[in-house]
Amino acid sequence: MLDDMPEELIGDNQDDSKSIAVEYFRSGVERFLEGMSELSRRDFLLSLELDPSLVLSYCYLSSIYNEEEDPDTSIELCRKGLLEDPENAHLHFCLGSSYDLKGMKKEAIQEYLYYLNEFPEDAECVFMIANAYDDLEDSEKSKGYYRQAIKLDPEHCKAYFNLSLLEGAAGNEKEAVCLLKRAVTIDPDYWKGWVKLGVYFSKIGNVQEAIVSYKHALQLSPDLIDVYYNLGISYKLTGQFAEAAKSFREVVGRNDEDVNAWHNLGVMNFQLGDTEGALQSFRTAISLDLNHAEAHYRLSCVYITT
């Protein structure tokens, strides 16, 4: 690697080498922040050739390799850095991130906790610990750390969102709704929050609010097929058949093999007095699933009434 360095930059003594290493490090940071990963990688490696004790270079290199989804190289670099400075909390955090990416959640938690011992107010690290416990299906510890992340950062939208999923899975739908309301208040453009808010509003029987939430989600992300379907069901439950039919048409327009959407579109067409539309929809549903008993029944009802 030293062969890549201009000869005039190679110092005659250790102090010169360390000064040049710092310059390479600074250049690496600037290029890293500008998204120039290849050039920043070169600068950080050169800085370490000149001064292996410059362990923050290992941290940046770790981030670069993690972004490239190469956690093995990242782990190797972090371990080299820890040989130079075993108590460097930032290196422990980077090692935790690499373990996390590799799916080694227990190891990741240990490294995050080491970092957190020195920086206990870091909400993002707490959030990552919560995520790791979530992946390990330890919901109680996960919920505890999400709450801690929210306490440290009351505007942490994703902590509210993830906690809401755990509360909802535990049957606490009203609590999930409260958490999701907070999430979309913090970030009104967070479409995932609006989708889940619609789901949990439906579960607690507040279908009209579910409709509002689903419409918000679709304004932000117009290609969410499942949300169009959920919106159609919500309109159907509130007797808004024309709007329901419109939503189901959106679904089959994007996925013409969605049996349930065709069936529901048939039901709505029939309710709206569109006999031909109902016949076509039920026939399509049956052609996709010959065993769809409800579609067969609904089709026979259309024939009987016409």
Side-chain angles (χ1 to χ4, degrees):
M1 189 61 69
L2 284 170
D3 293 340
D4 295 333
M5 297 172 61
E7 238 176 81
E8 62 270 20
L9 289 183
I10 301 177
D12 294 329
N13 57 58
Q14 190 174 12
D15 290 338
D16 288 341
S17 294
K18 287 190 174 184
S19 296
I20 297 168
V22 170
E23 290 306 311
Y24 273 118
F25 174 76
R26 288 174 177 166
S27 173
V29 172
E30 290 177 5
R31 287 169 164 171
F32 179 85
L33 295 175
E34 292 172 3
M36 303 165 66
S37 61
E38 285 303 318
L39 291 175
S40 64
R41 187 200 325 262
R42 175 183 179 276
D43 286 341
F44 290 130
L45 289 170
L46 286 169
S47 74
L48 290 169
E49 288 280 357
L50 289 165
D51 184 4
S53 69
L54 202 58
V55 295
L56 286 181
S57 288
Y58 286 111
C59 292
Y60 280 100
L61 286 168
S62 170
S63 296
I64 291 170
Y65 282 105
N66 278 342
E67 286 176 6
E68 295 173 353
E69 297 188 356
D70 183 1
D72 290 323
T73 300
S74 180
I75 289 169
E76 180 183 352
L77 287 164
C78 289
R79 287 173 176 168
K80 285 183 179 179
L82 288 169
L83 290 175
E84 295 288 335
D85 186 358
E87 297 181 359
N88 188 287
H90 296 289
L91 274 172
H92 281 282
F93 178 84
C94 291
L95 182 56
S97 298
S98 304
Y99 282 141
D100 211 341
L101 184 61
K102 194 174 170 63
M104 302 168 65
K105 303 299 179 178
K106 291 181 180 179
E107 292 82 354
I109 289 169
Q110 292 305 309
E111 299 301 328
Y112 290 147
L113 288 172
Y114 188 101
Y115 171 86
L116 201 63
N117 187 55
E118 187 167 335
F119 299 99
E121 303 299 309
D122 191 322
E124 195 59 30
C125 181
V126 174
F127 176 74
M128 293 172 79
I129 294 172
N131 281 343
Y133 275 120
D134 203 349
D135 289 336
L136 291 171
E137 299 183 352
D138 188 335
S139 60
E140 289 308 310
K141 284 187 178 179
S142 183
K143 285 194 284 188
Y145 278 104
Y146 283 134
R147 291 190 183 101
Q148 186 178 339
I150 290 168
K151 185 176 180 181
L152 292 168
D153 179 8
E155 302 295 301
H156 202 304
C157 175
K158 290 184 179 179
Y160 283 102
F161 178 80
N162 288 1
L163 181 56
S164 77
L165 300 185
L166 292 173
E167 292 293 357
N172 303 321
E173 288 92 355
K174 289 184 178 179
E175 176 66 14
V177 166
C178 292
L179 292 164
L180 287 164
K181 280 182 175 180
R182 181 62 181 147
V184 297
T185 299
I186 294 167
D187 183 2
D189 294 333
Y190 190 45
W191 64 263
K192 290 183 180 180
W194 287 109
V195 172
K196 286 297 182 182
L197 190 54
V199 170
Y200 286 117
F201 268 134
S202 293
K203 288 188 175 183
I204 65 173
N206 195 338
V207 183
Q208 199 56 53
E209 287 297 330
I211 290 171
V212 173
S213 300
Y214 290 140
K215 289 173 72 175
H216 268 294
L218 290 169
Q219 287 173 359
L220 296 167
S221 187
D223 295 323
L224 300 171
I225 297 178
D226 290 345
V227 178
Y228 278 112
Y229 184 84
N230 289 352
L231 181 59
I233 295 295
S234 298
Y235 277 131
K236 177 183 173 182
L237 291 172
T238 56
Q240 301 177 70
F241 299 139
E243 292 298 324
K246 182 180 177 182
S247 295
F248 293 129
R249 286 192 195 98
E250 291 285 353
V251 177
V252 298
R254 289 168 167 77
N255 178 15
D256 60 5
E257 295 185 354
D258 191 315
V259 177
N260 290 326
W262 278 113
H263 172 256
N264 277 289
L265 179 56
V267 174
M268 294 303 95
N269 284 334
F270 185 68
Q271 290 287 345
L272 293 166
D274 181 1
T275 302
E276 286 302 315
L279 287 171
Q280 179 188 354
S281 298
F282 291 135
R283 286 169 181 160
T284 303
I286 292 168
S287 71
L288 292 169
D289 180 5
L290 290 173
N291 296 316
H292 200 299
E294 183 68 15
H296 282 287
Y297 169 74
R298 293 284 185 175
L299 181 61
S300 66
C301 289
V302 177
Y303 282 125
I304 291 170
T305 57
T306 56

